[in-house]
């Protein structure tokens, strides 16, 4: 699907946003969010969409991932210094809703070994699913570190009850080229999810954590 926004337009918005924030004085790397306004959509009547895209450049390096693993993956995770939990660890939560909710907030994503993933709803209940963080499958044939880097690059667009969406598409320390690449792919993917494609887009803005929104559409 061809984009209605040229890369030059995105680049101008990126440079304007970068010039408008004094990020060099910050003690943290500001996240860049794409803010989307939709139109001609009725969340109550129209089918709600949901889609996940893997960006070519990881938007937020500090995303936290935990492994819910079998013995093999627990050993791999320990050697790679990745947080991991076995079946016995998960049973200790005793299906307590508040404890599991707090646990889900601690991480951005979860990975689960193929040998135990079906047991997780029985052990933890629906908590992770309700939080939108049900574990993604990982097999023994996959490289754990590579899988985690792929997951860290994921962004999700999901229509809920309001016509405003947001997704992290980069951070302030990335080059403008990498930002433009991420943003262009994110826009085209979002449009492909919409019922009437570009006719459902009301506005698109870029905003860094501490900066002002910059309109690109």
């Amino acid at each position: 699907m061809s984009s209605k926004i040229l890369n030059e337009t995105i680049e101008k918005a990126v440079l304007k946003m970068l010039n408008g924030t004094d990020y060099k004085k910050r003690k943290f790397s500001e996240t860049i969010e794409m803010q989307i306004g939709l139109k001609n959509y009725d969340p109550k009547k129209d089918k709600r969409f949901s889609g996940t895209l893997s960006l070519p450049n990881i938007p937020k390096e500090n995303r936290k991932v935990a492994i819910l693993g079998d013995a093999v993956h627990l050993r791999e995770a320990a050697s790679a210094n990745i947080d991991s939990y076995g079946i016995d660890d998960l049973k200790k939560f005793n299906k307590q809703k508040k404890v599991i909710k707090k646990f889900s907030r601690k991480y951005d994503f979860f990975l689960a070994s193929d040998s135990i993933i079906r047991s997780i709803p029985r052990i933890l209940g629906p908590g992770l699913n309700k939080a939108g963080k049900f574990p993604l499958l990982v097999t023994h044939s996959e490289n754990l570190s590579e899988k985690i880097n792929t997951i860290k690059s994921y962004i999700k667009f999901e229509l809920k009850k309001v016509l405003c969406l947001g997704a992290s598409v980069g951070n302030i320390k990335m080059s403008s080229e990498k930002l433009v690449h991420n943003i262009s792919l994110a826009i085209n993917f979002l449009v492909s999810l919409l019922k009437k494609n570009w006719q459902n887009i009301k506005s698109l803005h870029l905003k860094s954590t501490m900066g002002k929104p910059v309109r690109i559409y």
Side-chain angles (χ1 to χ4, degrees), residues 140-179:
H140 294 146
S141 62
E142 295 177 286
N143 181 291
L144 203 53
S145 296
E146 288 180 5
K147 181 83 172 184
I148 287 174
N149 280 336
T150 298
I151 286 168
K152 282 184 176 182
S153 72
Y154 281 176
I155 59 169
K156 186 175 183 178
F157 293 110
E158 184 174 19
L159 179 65
K160 294 186 177 179
K161 295 180 180 180
V162 294
L163 295 179
C164 298
L165 305 174
S168 299
V169 291
N171 63 76
I172 216 80
K173 292 183 179 179
M174 290 170 64
S175 67
S176 58
E177 290 82 6
K178 287 183 176 180
L179 285 170

Side-chain angles (χ1 to χ4, degrees), residues 97-111:
K97 292 180 181 179
K98 288 185 178 180
V99 176
I100 294 170
K101 189 175 184 179
K102 186 178 180 180
F103 175 63
S104 73
R105 287 177 175 171
K106 191 176 176 181
Y107 300 97
D108 297 291
F109 300 98
F110 292 93
L111 282 174

Side-chain angles (χ1 to χ4, degrees), residues 80-110:
N81 202 26
I82 300 165
D83 287 2
S84 58
Y85 303 83
I87 288 287
D88 290 340
D89 299 315
L90 301 180
K91 285 180 178 178
K92 290 175 183 175
F93 291 143
N94 203 25
K95 290 187 179 179
Q96 297 177 75
K97 292 180 181 179
K98 288 185 178 180
V99 176
I100 294 170
K101 189 175 184 179
K102 186 178 180 180
F103 175 63
S104 73
R105 287 177 175 171
K106 191 176 176 181
Y107 300 97
D108 297 291
F109 300 98
F110 292 93

